Structure formats: structure tokens, C-alpha cells
Amino acid sequence: MTLPPIYLSQLETEIDDLTANLFENANKMVVEANVKRMASETNLEQAQTKVAQLQADIVAMKTLLANNVSSTVNSSIPTQMSTEGKSQTSGQPAPVKKKFSLTKNTFRRKSQHKASASSLGSSNCDGEKAAIANSAGTTVDSRVWKYSDVLEDSVGLEEFKLWKKSPEISEESPFIRRLVAEDVRPCLNFSSKETSEALLKDILQNVLSIEPLQTSQKRICSLSNKEVICAYQIHVTANQHLLFVCQDSRDKIVTVCELFSYLRCIKQQLFSKQTDLELFEKIRHMRKNMVLQRLGFPLL
């Protein structure tokens, strides 16, 4: 049985239309696949570039912090070596080394010769004059400020070693609790206790954001409650609004953030080649910076 010519022509037309639609859909699918493939390759290249940049930043951070730790620990060695070298080359007898010991929060000088009551009184007066002169001048004897030569925070070191076994940035740890109680909270002691606690919470959660203002102007600082030039803004998640802060308040917050950033780097094992003592010395240096910043002294 043969179909009429009119039906045959209709059937051929439908077949041609179906074939054209199939080829058109296939071409669209191929084009979409190529676009997605190009986008994926672009994203992959960008991700690889970001990974390379992050790795370079990590290496630079490791080098910088390692240099800071080594310079902090060995800051007094070159001065001592140069002094001994000058004494030997000049032919003059080397000066007698003076030793210091800690007794009842005072430094008592050990002398090789016994002194009478009058000489002791005069030496005490001379020592007081020297202390006053040092406090008025710009230079201070390194033996006074070099705590690692005299004092050793054995309790803090043991707490740090215990924290390092399970490093969590939480006040449940005795080590973190000691840092917060002795250094962090005093450094963040601003006019509003509620704002200070909110800042501490954001710092512990690593969500605090500090941004410079495009135009700094004189206004009431949200932290010091004084009318000063405010060049920065801080977003506190608890208050859900911006705080305008001055340079001094910003610097106090930054010193605290630097400490916890360093602790997070230790948690991520970025300084696995350094000893516990070297890491702890760097933490002590940062704690000292918080004290100096809180009291208004320049950082050492």
C-alpha cells in the first residue's frame, strides 16, 4: 500500500524539521559546554594564582616572624661581644662584669668587695641618681628591660606548652585566660565596658574589621569618648553599627589582634621549625607591646 504523494511530502517535511531541530539543539549544547569549560579553566587559573600568592605570603610571614624572634632573643649578644672586643684590643683591663639577682622585687648588685655602711649609703644614692637619669633620658640599660636575662615565666611557658597540644582560641584554656585577664582586657579598657567586651568577642572569633576613613575629621571617639581626629571605623557585630575611633584606640586594638593572629598561625603549624621557647618569647614580646601601648609608650 502506497501513501498519496501529499502525505509523503508532509512526512518528508516533518523529518527534515526534526533533523534540523536535533542539530540545532546539539550545537547549542556544544556551545554551552565550551563556555562552561572556558569559565572553569579561568576559575582554575585564578584559584592557582591566589594559592601561589597565599603561599608566598605565608613564606614571607614565616621569615619575618622568625627574624623578629631571633632578633628579640639575641638582641643583647652583639653589644656584649663588641664591648669585650674593644677592651681586648685597647690593651686595657676588661671591666668587671656586674651580676644582678632578684630579691623581693629589687635588683641587688653583688660586689666582690665588702663595703662599709657609709659606702653602701653612697652607692644607693648613686644608684637612685642613675635610675632618675635613665628615666629622664631616651636610652635605658638593656639589662633592665631584658627580662629573659633575669626573669623566666615558667608558669606561663608550661601553660603555653599545654595549650599548644590542643590550640583553641578560647578562654576555657588557662593560657588564653591568663593572656586575656593580664594583658588583653586592660589594653581594651575603654570608656564603655559593653563595647570593650564586644570588641574582645569579635577578636576571639576573628571577625573584627578595621577600615580607614576616606576623610578623617574631628569628632567624638567612640572608645575614648574624647573629641579627637578619628581616621578609622570599626564594625562591631554585637552592636551592628560602625564605631569611629582615633589613632590611639586603633593601635591598642591592633596590638591585641596581632597577638591572636600569631596564636592562630601557631595553631595552623606555620612555625613548626621553631622551638616552644622561641614561640613563647615572641608572645612575651607582643604582651610587652600591649603594656607599652596601654600606658602610652612607644613600642620597642
Side-chain angles (χ1 to χ4, degrees):
M1 179 179 179
T2 59
L3 295 174
I6 186 171
Y7 291 111
L8 289 175
S9 62
Q10 290 179 356
L11 182 61
E12 290 177 355
T13 302
E14 291 179 357
I15 292 174
D16 291 339
D17 293 340
L18 180 61
T19 303
N21 290 333
L22 289 176
F23 276 107
E24 184 178 358
N25 291 333
N27 290 332
K28 288 181 179 180
M29 293 175 63
V30 170
V31 171
E32 291 177 357
N34 290 333
V35 171
K36 291 181 179 180
R37 180 180 58 81
M38 294 176 63
S40 300
E41 291 177 353
T42 303
N43 293 334
L44 178 60
E45 292 178 357
Q46 293 177 355
Q48 290 177 347
T49 304
K50 290 182 179 179
V51 169
Q53 292 177 353
L54 290 175
Q55 290 178 347
D57 293 341
I58 290 173
V59 172
M61 184 183 295
K62 285 183 178 181
T63 305
L64 178 61
L65 291 175
N67 292 336
N68 289 339
V69 171
S70 60
S71 62
T72 302
V73 175
N74 302 323
S75 59
S76 63
I77 294 179
T79 305
Q80 183 179 0
M81 293 178 62
S82 61
T83 304
E84 293 178 354
K86 289 181 180 179
S87 300
Q88 293 177 1
T89 54
S90 61
Q92 298 177 357
V96 179
K97 296 182 179 179
K98 300 175 183 178
K99 300 181 180 180
F100 292 85
S101 62
L102 186 66
T103 305
K104 295 181 180 180
N105 299 329
T106 59
F107 289 103
R108 179 169 53 86
R109 180 174 299 175
K110 294 181 179 179
S111 176
Q112 295 181 351
H113 302 282
K114 295 182 179 180
S116 62
S118 60
S119 61
L120 285 175
S122 61
S123 62
N124 290 335
C125 294
D126 294 339
E128 292 177 356
K129 293 179 180 178
I132 295 174
N134 285 336
S135 62
T138 57
T139 60
V140 182
D141 190 354
S142 60
R143 291 173 297 183
V144 178
W145 291 96
K146 185 65 175 175
Y147 285 94
S148 59
D149 293 341
V150 181
L151 302 177
E152 180 180 354
D153 187 6
S154 58
V155 177
L157 180 59
E158 292 302 323
E159 289 180 351
F160 169 71
K161 291 180 180 179
L162 183 62
W163 171 83
K164 193 168 176 285
K165 295 179 182 179
S166 179
E168 294 295 336
I169 311 298
S170 171
E171 291 190 68
E172 295 180 358
S173 168
F175 176 67
I176 300 297
R177 188 162 57 247
R178 177 187 293 271
L179 293 180
V180 172
E182 295 181 358
D183 302 300
V184 175
R185 275 199 170 91
C187 191
L188 298 179
N189 186 19
F190 298 112
S191 58
S192 174
K193 300 296 182 183
E194 181 181 355
T195 304
S196 300
E197 290 299 323
L199 288 172
L200 176 59
K201 183 179 179 181
D202 284 359
I203 292 174
L204 293 176
Q205 295 178 356
N206 198 22
V207 295
L208 186 69
S209 129
I210 303 177
E211 300 176 355
L213 296 173
Q214 294 182 354
T215 57
S216 57
Q217 58 182 352
K218 198 170 185 179
R219 64 179 76 190
I220 300 297
C221 177
S222 303
L223 299 179
S224 64
N225 202 21
K226 296 180 180 179
E227 187 177 1
V228 290
I229 298 296
C230 296
Y232 300 92
Q233 63 182 6
I234 300 177
H235 180 267
V236 182
T237 56
N239 299 332
Q240 293 297 327
H241 66 273
L242 294 176
L243 302 178
F244 298 100
V245 299
C246 60
Q247 183 71 40
D248 181 61
S249 301
R250 176 260 181 195
D251 292 342
K252 292 179 180 179
I253 297 173
V254 168
T255 53
V256 177
C257 293
E258 287 178 351
L259 171 65
F260 285 102
S261 297
Y262 187 71
L263 294 177
R264 291 187 182 94
C265 291
I266 296 176
K267 179 181 177 180
Q268 297 174 4
Q269 298 182 356
L270 298 181
F271 308 108
S272 56
K273 295 183 180 180
Q274 297 184 11
T275 63
D276 292 343
L277 183 59
E278 291 175 340
L279 297 174
F280 187 67
E281 283 294 325
K282 180 61 178 177
I283 293 174
R284 293 178 70 191
H285 179 73
M286 292 181 174
R287 294 179 66 182
K288 179 185 67 176
N289 285 341
M290 281 192 288
V291 174
L292 294 175
Q293 194 66 250
R294 174 169 59 89
L295 298 178
F297 290 105
L299 301 183
L300 299 178

